[in-house]
Amino acid sequence: MTYISAQPQLTNSWDDICYPVQPVWLTDLLPDYDIVATDRQQLIVGQVKGGRNTIFGIQSADYSIIPNAVIREVVDALIPQYSLLIKYTPTGEFNINIVLPEVFMLGGEPLQRCLILTNSYNGKTPFSIQGQSLMALLDPMVALRSSMFRKLCQNGLLGWADHFDQVSSYQTWLGQWSGESAKGRSSKNRPAENRSDRPGPAIRKIHHSQLTIEVFRQHLHNLLVDHLKPELTLTTTVYSQLQQTEIPGRPNEIVRELPIPVQLAKQAYERLRTEEQLLHTGPSLWLLYNAVNYALFTSRSSLTLNDRYRLDERVFHHLATRAYA
């Protein structure tokens, strides 16, 4: 199904995405009609600030909305000091970067730890933390990934190697990953440590449709508490390897090989050249990864935010394969 083309908008205010949202039942809206499409029973309606009521999607009768205002409540209660960068689309998708004070230096450039949360009111992008769904994270065998925020490109970085403890293990996996079809590629998780208090296999019986706001609030609180313990993971080591790997020859040849749409590749190449000028440096795989990240999250595209996340991580592994070759 073709999806509406949208360009993410930028804000640093919760108020721009924390407007009221609620279900409106089709039976209430159309009392004189018999509705036989039982898989679609409620409209998801948001009262967008300064605009008309907006219908973001039509969902099943047991679909539960996660209001952005609830996410804000949990974040504010847990984190006394943070900065905020949100990218959202008019179609009801939200990319929320909670930027923490901790700083990690990479080649003279400061990066900050951050939490990346996604949500949507159109059902296209499920709620996630660091690219993993809430249901997946409630499994004690899954560890929450870590993310970094780069001020120059104004976005959190979405490639991860956290599920490996050693570079050698990651390199072995990259060899297997690069030999698989793009459709079959996926990242595995290493078991989470010291999280026995989280639900066990029974959590598989819980679905998004059965998620109440109270249950969601408690689970989100517990997961964020886990992640706020400062630690660096293997991902930062991979960042350093990318930063130290210069691009030989013509960068546009490498850009053309990237597993992203042609138009986004062109925009990534333009951004790469811009960053070279801004930083007075030559091209590296680190700058290229960030250029792709920038293109993915600033460009108009029919890709959902979830699609953009997947492409960002795929590019991360693709470039890491080159860096460790």
Side-chain angles (χ1 to χ4, degrees), residues 44 77-78 94 107 145 187 199 209 244 281 303 319:
I44 308 303
L78 277 178
F94 312 96
R145 300 160 171 173
S187 302
S209 60
Q244 295 168 27
T281 186
L303 295 170
L319 295 179

Side-chain angles (χ1 to χ4, degrees), residues 103-125:
V103 174
F104 166 72
M105 298 301 296
L106 181 68
E109 184 180 355
L111 303 180
Q112 289 177 263
R113 290 184 68 238
C114 78
L115 295 164
I116 301 176
L117 300 93
T118 63
N119 194 25
S120 73
Y121 293 158
N122 59 15
K124 297 290 183 180
T125 298

Side-chain angles (χ1 to χ4, degrees), residues 47-48 52 64 80 87 90 93 104 124 143 146 150 168 174 187 195 210 215 233 236 250 253 279 290 306 319:
Q47 300 173 25
V48 181
R52 301 172 60 189
S64 299
K87 292 185 179 180
E93 295 181 276
F104 166 72
K124 297 290 183 180
S146 60
R150 185 171 181 252
S168 58
L174 282 176
S187 302
R195 293 181 183 176
Q210 299 170 322
V215 170
T233 64
T236 55
R250 298 180 178 179
E253 294 178 358
L279 298 174
N290 281 280
N306 212 32
L319 295 179

Side-chain angles (χ1 to χ4, degrees), residues 75 78-85 97-105 109-115 147-151 224 227-232:
V75 170
L78 277 178
I79 309 174
Q81 184 180 0
Y82 68 89
S83 56
L84 183 69
L85 184 74
N97 291 266
I98 309 297
V99 185
L100 305 175
E102 294 93 342
V103 174
F104 166 72
M105 298 301 296
E109 184 180 355
L111 303 180
Q112 289 177 263
R113 290 184 68 238
C114 78
L115 295 164
S147 287
M148 291 288 178
F149 181 84
R150 185 171 181 252
K151 188 174 182 179
L224 294 189
H227 188 66
L228 289 173
K229 302 168 185 176
E231 62 176 8
L232 293 179

Side-chain angles (χ1 to χ4, degrees), residues 170-180 321:
Y170 180 52
Q171 287 179 277
T172 299
W173 179 84
L174 282 176
Q176 299 169 348
W177 179 87
S178 61
E180 297 175 358
T321 302

Side-chain angles (χ1 to χ4, degrees), residues 16 26 33 51 70 120 145 187 220 244 282:
D16 290 329
L26 285 175
Y33 290 80
V70 177
S120 73
R145 300 160 171 173
S187 302
L220 179 59
Q244 295 168 27

